[in-house]
Amino acid sequence: MTEVVNSQPLERLVVVGLGLIGGSFAKGIREKGLFREVVGVDLDAESRRQAVVLGVVDRCETDLRAACEGATVIQLAVPILAMEKVLAQLASFSLGDAVLTDVGSAKGNVVRAARAAFGLGAVRFVPGHPIAGSEQSGVEASNAKLFRRHKVILTPSPDTDSQALELVDRLWRALGADVEHMQVEHHDQVLAATSHLPHLLAFGLVDSLAKRSENLEIFRYAAGGFRDFTRIAGSDPVMWHDIFLANREAVLRTLDAFRDDLDALRDAIDGSDGRQLLGVFTRARMAREHFGKILARRAYVESVQARDRVFEARPGGVLSGSIRVPGDKSISHRSIMLGSLAEGTTEVEGFLEGEDALATLQAFRDMGVVIEGPHHGRLTIHGVGLHGLKAPPGPLYLGNSGTSMRLLSGLLAAQPFDTTLIGDASLSKRPMERVARPLRAMGASIETSAGGLPPISIKGGQRLRGNHYDMPMASAQVKSSLLLAGLYASGETSVSEPASTRDHTERMLQGFGYPVALGDKRTALVGGGKLNATHIEVPADISSAAFFLVAASIAEGSDLLLQHVGVNPTRTGVIDILSLMGADIALENPRHAGGEPVADIRVRAAQLQGIDIPLELVPLAIDEFPVLFIAAACAKGRTVLHGAEELRLKESDRIQVMADGLAALGIQAEPTHDGIIIEGGEIGGGEVWSHGDHRIAMAFSVAALRASATIRVHDCASVATSFPNFIDLAAQAGMQVVQEAKS
Ligand code: S3P
């Protein structure tokens, strides 16, 4: 059999069934010249005539045997309930090594029919399903481009002939389709939920309304919502009747689950349970908005091409004016967590609408908390109390967010239900035993996966005991995780840290009226209390402001004001380090907002000097080192960092990745086991890779201000995790960073 689709044409393609799908397949393949001839078979004489006239096929046959004997590929595009009969007929012909495939919308019944007809010979049958329907039908609607950028699912079994599979796969790809492989049962269940159930609802709703005596009246006022929802009730009734009969079991399972949910909605309306309704509606709205993103990020894990979002940072620029960077990520996470566990309604302002904080938000929605928003940074959280969370329907997907995973581990260890925490490719490489181990010492049942990495499985229903933990590393995430578990533990939970780390959890707990004992690098609380809802104002994130602190410092002539930045002393290491390097930074109008110190920060360009970074400042600037390394590259002389081995465990190995990028731009940077030595120098243009780390991507964008040519930063999709509007704000301040158009 010929193997390469685009060299020598194959001999004969037979398409049995010249409807929209069969006709479009035939036409597309014919236009590509992939076969010497494309032959159509259809029971209907008019369809056969039109297929030839419209150039869908080269010729038609009335006799199935005459068409199929000697064929290279036979595509079955007949109605799904006719498949069994056609397959049985085909089995009585001499088909040689022809490859058989189909386009049926349900796969279980077709696969069973092929096995019944061909027995072991079914290995040359490749079941397929293009997801490219339309309300149009018939050969006259054939469109050679119908499958372009649409999904085609192939459902081979383990014994399907690999050459046959490859050939069918290539034919669909030649038509521009995205081909995926799936197990038959999985396909049928997924399609029952995403396609078959919606069609059933649309047909059912229109029929139910049309039957009523006042139907004319109803349809006269039917507006956009009705039209959108019922558009698919215009689909081919016979085809859909076939699909429901063919995919009976999977549809029934989905329909039963949906009926339960519909009953719950009915009860909520009956009982005037507005909170339940709001919960369903807000969850649904969020899910709809974010499914696309979640899917894109999963695809981004799988496909390098989709992942490579490139920032092109052009040299030069002066920063001026006044900007406000988005809300603090750490505080945003905690506002959702504590707001959800509080009694009463918590209002949040300034919430960071980045993917990490949204992952936490979604997790709490999945656990039954009703959260309105976010709308321009505002949220209303209807707290459920410390004991009001419900078991989520499946694993909690936390994207790229280490903070979500580590803090939630502590909180979930104390719940009555089991949970599994999963994340994207980067999060799946981050160490989780640092929280699991001390939580186990409190009585938690928590398992990490091989190597101490995610996924994390947590068994509910454990009684936690207060404990003292001496943290071996300075980590606010570990400290916070234990304090959250401590809310549920008997007695006192206390944590000592080797160096002070961010104290947002402690401050916010106090803001919610929960007593916390604060000592010198020691924090303690006693379980069994409660949280009272409050108002939270999230200040701008100093970790995001840091990019502009460095940018304005290194770009000659700059004078920039950063508004309302959180200047909690456990976070201001970046200001101290830059000041030691000679930066011109002033805090103006210091004040308090929502229990956190806040100020406007004025920064003017200055000549920076290399320094030895004081050890005690390292934990206070832990997230800002990527951009501080850019400051070091622009400084006179040598900058030395030690005591920062934690940097190797962040969203990427920030020491190695920064050293590689700096070297690519002509800067001498020598990584050490716990830090880096950087010699200031001339920055050149070039290509650098962020390795999916948001802060690295933004740091190298800043470097361009002093570069001799453009810096192209690869792999920047993750910037959306902490700073979704980075490019816009950078432009507003005077930088020239653009996202390259996708090719
Ligand atoms: C964070 C703590 C820090 C920091 C992270 C956010 C938090 O992590 O790097 O971006 O919100 O508690 P570690 O606890 O691992 O140092």
Side-chain angles (χ1 to χ4, degrees):
M1 195 184 66
T2 323
E3 274 154 19
V4 184
V5 165
N6 35 13
S7 54
Q8 283 282 316
L10 301 168
E11 199 50 45
R12 186 196 314 156
L13 167 69
V14 178
V15 177
V16 186
L18 296 170
L20 169 72
I21 300 287
S24 298
F25 182 82
K27 194 167 190 213
I29 296 282
R30 186 166 177 262
E31 284 181 8
K32 296 265 170 209
L34 300 177
F35 287 79
R36 278 189 217 289
E37 62 168 354
V38 175
V39 177
V41 181
D42 199 283
L43 291 176
D44 179 52
E46 180 56 17
S47 296
R48 293 198 300 270
R49 192 189 67 77
Q50 286 220 23
V52 176
V53 173
L54 297 172
V56 169
V57 294
D58 294 299
R59 64 186 176 85
C60 279
E61 280 281 356
T62 40
D63 180 38
L64 188 62
R65 181 193 298 268
C68 293
E69 290 193 344
T72 323
V73 176
I74 302 169
Q75 172 65 283
L76 302 180
V78 297
I80 192 147
L81 291 188
M83 290 284 185
E84 191 176 341
K85 194 168 139 217
V86 176
L87 282 162
Q89 268 180 294
L90 288 172
S92 69
F93 306 157
S94 316
L95 295 181
D97 59 5
V99 171
L100 241 67
T101 183
D102 82 312
V103 296
S105 309
K107 299 274 47 107
N109 71 320
V110 182
V111 168
R112 279 192 296 278
R115 289 223 183 94
F118 288 94
L120 291 178
V123 295
R124 300 191 68 74
F125 175 59
V126 181
H129 175 205
I131 304 185
S134 137
E135 285 74 66
Q136 292 183 308
S137 56
V139 73
E140 55 279 20
S142 296
N143 169 7
K145 299 192 176 101
L146 184 68
F147 307 109
R148 206 177 264 183
R149 287 200 214 98
H150 279 80
K151 286 215 182 333
V152 171
I153 302 176
L154 301 181
T155 61
S157 55
D159 53 2
T160 301
D161 180 277
S162 60
Q163 277 193 346
L165 177 60
E166 196 184 327
L167 176 57
V168 174
D169 195 300
R170 287 192 196 186
L171 291 180
W172 283 114
R173 284 184 205 278
L175 299 181
D178 297 330
V179 183
E180 288 189 14
H181 295 186
M182 218 183 244
Q183 284 192 339
V184 173
E185 300 73 26
H186 189 209
H187 168 276
D188 285 359
Q189 197 60 53
V190 168
L191 268 289
T194 55
S195 167
H196 305 173
L197 180 63
H199 277 83
L200 192 80
L201 298 182
F203 283 127
L205 177 66
V206 175
D207 182 54
S208 164
L209 296 184
K211 270 193 318 220
R212 302 231 208 120
S213 54
E214 70 276 25
N215 60 17
L216 251 186
E217 191 62 2
I218 290 175
F219 287 112
R220 179 173 305 142
Y221 295 108
F226 179 82
R227 291 212 190 97
D228 289 348
F229 183 79
T230 57
R231 179 181 58 80
I232 51 179
S235 306
D236 180 354
V238 178
M239 181 179 105
W240 279 97
H241 138 282
D242 284 11
I243 290 173
F244 283 106
L245 297 181
N247 199 23
R248 189 169 161 271
E249 284 83 16
V251 169
L252 286 179
R253 270 195 299 276
T254 308
L255 190 56
D256 287 346
F258 182 69
R259 235 173 33 181
D260 291 345
D261 291 341
L262 200 57
D263 282 346
L265 281 176
R266 192 196 177 284
D267 291 347
I269 295 170
D270 190 22
S272 299
D273 186 349
R275 182 196 275 213
Q276 166 74 6
L277 292 176
L278 202 55
V280 173
F281 299 165
T282 46
R283 277 202 303 278
R285 179 181 172 173
M286 260 327 247
R288 198 172 185 282
E289 272 173 29
H290 289 285
F291 275 159
K293 280 192 200 154
I294 289 169
L295 285 176
R297 286 182 74 69
R298 291 223 166 120
Y300 139 121
V301 171
E302 280 147 22
S303 114
V304 177
Q305 217 183 357
R307 179 167 77 181
D308 199 10
R309 185 166 300 174
V310 178
F311 282 2
E312 201 180 286
R314 305 201 177 125
V318 176
L319 287 92
S320 62
S322 166
I323 58 171
R324 179 165 173 162
V325 300
D328 187 282
K329 184 153 77 76
S330 293
I331 299 176
S332 295
H333 281 298
R334 287 157 172 86
S335 71
I336 297 283
M337 295 180 188
L338 300 192
S340 295
L341 297 176
E343 294 180 14
T345 303
T346 292
E347 304 281 346
V348 182
E349 277 177 77
F351 179 78
L352 165 65
E353 295 183 37
E355 290 176 6
D356 277 12
L358 291 172
T360 294
L361 192 152
Q362 188 59 34
F364 280 86
R365 284 201 168 123
D366 286 347
M367 292 189 285
V369 182
V370 175
I371 303 172
E372 296 174 63
H375 183 64
H376 300 316
R378 283 177 187 276
L379 287 175
T380 304
I381 308 172
H382 298 265
V384 295
L386 276 168
H387 300 281
L389 294 179
K390 297 203 185 92
L396 296 173
Y397 176 69
L398 301 171
N400 193 249
S401 178
T403 308
S404 310
M405 189 168 279
R406 296 201 178 116
L407 269 60
L408 277 176
S409 295
L411 183 62
L412 295 172
Q415 302 303 320
F417 47 82
D418 299 350
T419 33
T420 305
L421 306 181
I422 57 174
D424 72 0
S426 152
L427 182 54
S428 301
K429 287 191 211 124
R430 298 185 65 188
M432 292 297 150
E433 274 299 312
R434 53 177 55 200
V435 286
R437 208 173 307 114
L439 286 170
R440 273 183 220 117
M442 294 175 73
S445 172
I446 170 166
E447 293 306 327
T448 56
S449 303
L453 303 179
I456 299 182
S457 307
I458 301 172
K459 204 164 160 22
Q462 313 296 313
R463 275 175 182 277
L464 302 190
R465 304 172 296 275
N467 193 21
H468 175 74
Y469 187 58
D470 258 320
M471 281 200 297
M473 77 293 278
S475 166
Q477 294 179 352
V478 176
K479 172 176 64 175
S480 302
S481 183
L482 299 182
L483 292 177
L484 291 174
L487 295 175
Y488 295 84
S490 56
E492 186 184 78
T493 298
S494 58
V495 190
S496 295
E497 40 191 357
S500 295
T501 62
R502 64 192 70 194
D503 61 1
H504 306 300
T505 306
E506 299 88 303
R507 283 177 189 257
M508 201 182 284
L509 278 169
Q510 289 174 324
F512 277 88
Y514 205 102
V516 181
L518 302 172
D520 179 29
K521 300 193 187 101
R522 182 180 184 278
T523 312
L525 56 73
V526 174
K530 70 175 183 126
L531 301 169
N532 295 315
T534 183
H535 182 100
I536 297 175
E537 198 188 323
V538 182
D541 197 332
I542 189 165
S543 298
S544 298
F547 298 103
F548 292 98
L549 292 177
V550 172
S553 295
I554 65 172
E556 211 181 312
S558 297
D559 182 350
L560 184 71
L561 187 75
L562 294 154
Q563 301 156 18
H564 204 73
V565 183
V567 288
N568 179 316
T570 59
R571 297 285 297 282
T572 45
V574 62
I575 297 179
D576 299 336
I577 293 170
L578 284 172
S579 301
L580 288 173
M581 294 175 81
D584 180 357
I585 298 177
L587 267 54
E588 298 178 355
N589 188 15
R591 55 205 183 268
H592 270 79
E596 292 276 347
V598 174
D600 301 325
I601 306 180
R602 161 146 270 130
V603 51
R604 296 183 179 90
Q607 174 59 57
L608 302 181
Q609 302 291 329
I611 57 164
D612 282 1
I613 296 176
L615 268 183
E616 68 276 11
L617 291 182
V618 172
L620 311 183
I622 194 69
D623 289 340
E624 289 70 68
F625 282 108
V627 78
L628 281 170
F629 295 171
I630 301 299
C634 298
K636 266 209 178 107
R638 169 182 295 191
T639 297
V640 182
L641 171 69
H642 282 301
E645 55 272 46
E646 278 290 308
L647 287 184
R648 293 195 180 272
L649 302 172
K650 296 292 178 188
E651 286 84 329
S652 69
D653 175 344
R654 286 185 173 160
I655 291 176
Q656 193 58 50
V657 172
M658 282 303 297
D660 292 347
L662 287 169
L665 301 177
I667 295 293
Q668 251 188 51
E670 185 195 324
T672 62
H673 78 283
D674 68 342
I676 196 165
I677 303 166
I678 297 171
E679 300 287 347
E682 298 296 314
I683 301 181
E687 310 267 326
V688 294
W689 274 261
S690 83
H691 291 258
D693 186 327
H694 52 139
R695 300 205 199 278
I696 306 256
M698 292 184 275
F700 281 119
S701 305
V702 168
L705 286 162
R706 284 276 288 268
S708 55
T710 295
I711 299 178
R712 292 181 76 240
V713 192
H714 290 263
D715 214 0
C716 293
S718 60
V719 166
T721 59
S722 68
F723 203 155
N725 58 342
F726 172 69
I727 287 196
D728 292 346
L729 267 190
Q732 193 185 322
M735 291 166 63
Q736 305 175 67
V737 187
V738 292
Q739 188 177 307
E740 263 180 26
K742 270 208 190 124
S743 57

